[in-house]
């Protein structure tokens, strides 16, 4: 596996609570969840850079909304 | 890139042979793989068409050199098995954005197998006398191990070409959840955490 580097992350109480909630929901530890989030962010960014748009769709109403990404 | 020892079966001698599993191939290795495999695929395709064969391999159009460009992103990882000095199989996985569909782990992350291909000389779709056996199984086992390493508890998911579904069910113990209307009606298969072989 690739060598890993360590970093310190400062989060607010609310951010930490959200992180912990997602970790419980997805059955992941904090490192695994944040690595997943980084990969997803990079993937979305690459698609937007390539001219694609990212949408979410309500399965019930089929209504689509464009996902805005920083 | 790191690598570890594994084994394949030489179908000519019936003996087990040493192989190397690479767990993070770079773009150049994928392009090298395509340079080796492509002429053999094309020669086989020509032969199939010339002999009037009705059913062609469903992955005949795959190109690992093109996939290599996608492989630059963190979300993608490509693994490969090398034996006898050549790449015997390749598998590209996505490590984010795909969620389990089977209960009780529904909506938890899976390692999603985007592409898996054995070298054309190992595939019964391309040759009547394959050289090595076990490439696909070793690669799916590697996907399960990667899923554990990533904290996904061994969960693996994939959409299979219809010609390959039987292999994933009978050879890898995956569950076929039926055709997926959101993905070209291809069958979706999943290996849940509790049943995945490590």
């Amino acid at each position: 596996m690739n060598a890993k580097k360590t970093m310190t992350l400062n989060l607010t109480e609310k951010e930490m609570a959200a992180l912990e909630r997602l970790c419980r929901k997805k059955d992941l530890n904090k490192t695994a969840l944040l690595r997943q989030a980084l990969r997803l962010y990079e993937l979305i960014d690459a698609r937007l850079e390539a001219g694609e748009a990212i949408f979410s769709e309500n399965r019930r109403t089929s209504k689509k909304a464009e996902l805005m990404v920083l | 890139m790191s690598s570890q020892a594994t084994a394949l079966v030489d179908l000519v001698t019936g003996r087990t042979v040493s192989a190397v599993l690479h767990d993070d191939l770079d773009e150049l290795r994928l392009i090298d793989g395509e340079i080796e495999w492509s002429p053999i695929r094309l020669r086989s395709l020509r032969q199939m068409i010339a002999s009037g064969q009705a059913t062609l391999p469903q992955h005949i159009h795959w190109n690992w050199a093109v996939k290599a460009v996608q492989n630059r992103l963190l979300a993608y990882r490509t693994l490969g098995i090398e034996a006898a000095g050549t790449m015997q199989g390749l598998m590209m996985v996505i490590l984010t954005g795909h969620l389990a569909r089977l209960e009780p782990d529904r909506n938890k992350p899976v390692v999603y197998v985007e592409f898996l291909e054995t070298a054309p000389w190992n595939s019964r779709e391309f040759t009547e006398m394959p050289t090595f056996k076990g490439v696909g199984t070793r690669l799916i086992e590697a996907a399960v191990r990667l899923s554990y390493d990533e904290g996904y508890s061994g969960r693996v998911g994939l959409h299979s070409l219809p010609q390959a579904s039987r292999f994933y069910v009978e050879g890898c113990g995956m569950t076929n959840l039926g055709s997926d209307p959101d993905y070209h009606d291809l069958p979706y298969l999943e290996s849940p955490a509790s049943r995945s072989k490590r």
Side-chain angles (χ1 to χ4, degrees):
Chain A
M1 285 293 159
N2 295 328
K4 294 185 177 73
K5 294 183 176 178
T6 304
M7 65 172 278
T8 304
L9 180 67
N10 295 313
L11 297 177
T12 64
E13 215 168 288
K14 267 178 86 171
E15 289 163 346
M16 183 61 88
L19 176 61
E20 287 172 345
R21 192 170 58 246
L22 278 168
C23 285
R24 280 195 300 277
K25 193 173 170 185
K26 300 295 176 187
D27 195 21
L28 292 174
N29 62 38
K30 289 172 187 156
T31 300
L33 191 127
L34 288 170
R35 290 174 72 202
Q36 221 200 30
L38 176 62
R39 289 170 183 147
L40 188 60
Y41 191 46
E42 189 199 37
L43 183 67
I44 289 172
D45 187 59
R47 292 198 177 167
L48 292 173
E49 284 278 326
E52 292 182 28
I54 313 285
F55 289 90
S56 67
E57 182 178 346
N58 184 318
R59 284 193 185 276
R60 195 169 45 81
T61 62
S62 295
K63 195 175 172 185
K64 287 183 183 173
E66 188 171 349
L67 188 68
M68 305 304 287
V69 182
L70 289 177
Chain B
M1 185 181 78
S2 68
S3 49
Q4 54 186 288
T6 185
L8 299 173
V9 176
D10 182 330
L11 287 170
V12 177
T13 64
R15 290 188 180 155
T16 301
V17 295
S18 303
V20 178
L21 173 75
H22 300 286
D23 67 15
D24 194 5
L25 292 171
D26 64 20
E27 295 157 87
L28 294 179
R29 296 300 300 272
L30 293 188
I31 292 168
D32 288 343
E34 188 59 39
I35 289 169
E36 274 186 317
W37 294 5
S38 182
I40 296 165
R41 276 202 220 100
L42 290 172
R43 273 198 294 275
S44 299
L45 176 64
R46 192 184 189 289
Q47 230 169 9
M48 289 174 210
I49 291 171
S51 66
Q53 186 175 315
T55 310
L56 301 177
Q58 290 168 331
H59 63 290
I60 195 85
H61 59 289
W62 285 9
N63 183 325
W64 287 92
V66 173
K67 298 180 199 317
V69 178
Q70 282 185 320
N71 198 37
R72 288 177 182 156
L73 296 171
L74 289 173
Y76 293 89
R77 180 87 64 87
T78 304
L79 298 85
I81 292 185
E82 198 173 2
T86 51
M87 203 57 81
Q88 302 296 335
L90 290 167
M91 174 177 70
M92 182 180 281
V93 300
I94 305 183
L95 301 173
T96 191
H98 288 270
L99 301 173
R101 302 182 186 187
L102 276 177
E103 298 294 353
D105 288 337
R106 193 177 168 79
N107 289 335
K108 291 179 182 172
V110 297
V111 166
Y112 179 81
V113 178
E114 179 95 339
F115 300 104
L116 188 157
E117 184 179 9
T118 188
W121 54 81
N122 294 327
S123 167
R124 289 197 188 279
E125 291 165 318
F126 286 99
T127 175
E128 286 175 5
M129 296 178 65
T131 308
F132 291 113
K133 186 183 171 190
V135 176
T137 313
R138 296 291 93 77
L139 286 170
I140 290 294
E141 286 168 358
V144 172
R145 281 197 301 275
L146 179 59
S147 175
Y148 277 106
D149 291 341
E150 291 294 322
Y152 304 169
S153 304
R155 290 182 294 271
V156 172
L158 58 87
H159 285 91
S160 165
L161 292 171
Q163 286 174 347
S165 294
R166 198 172 150 192
F167 161 73
Y168 291 115
V169 173
E170 294 177 8
C172 306
M174 298 181 84
T175 302
N176 189 340
L177 300 180
S179 64
D180 183 348
D182 292 333
Y183 198 82
H184 314 294
D185 285 323
L186 290 177
Y188 176 77
L189 295 101
E190 199 169 285
S191 203
S194 53
R195 295 216 311 257
S196 296
K197 290 178 242 171
R198 190 154 195 190

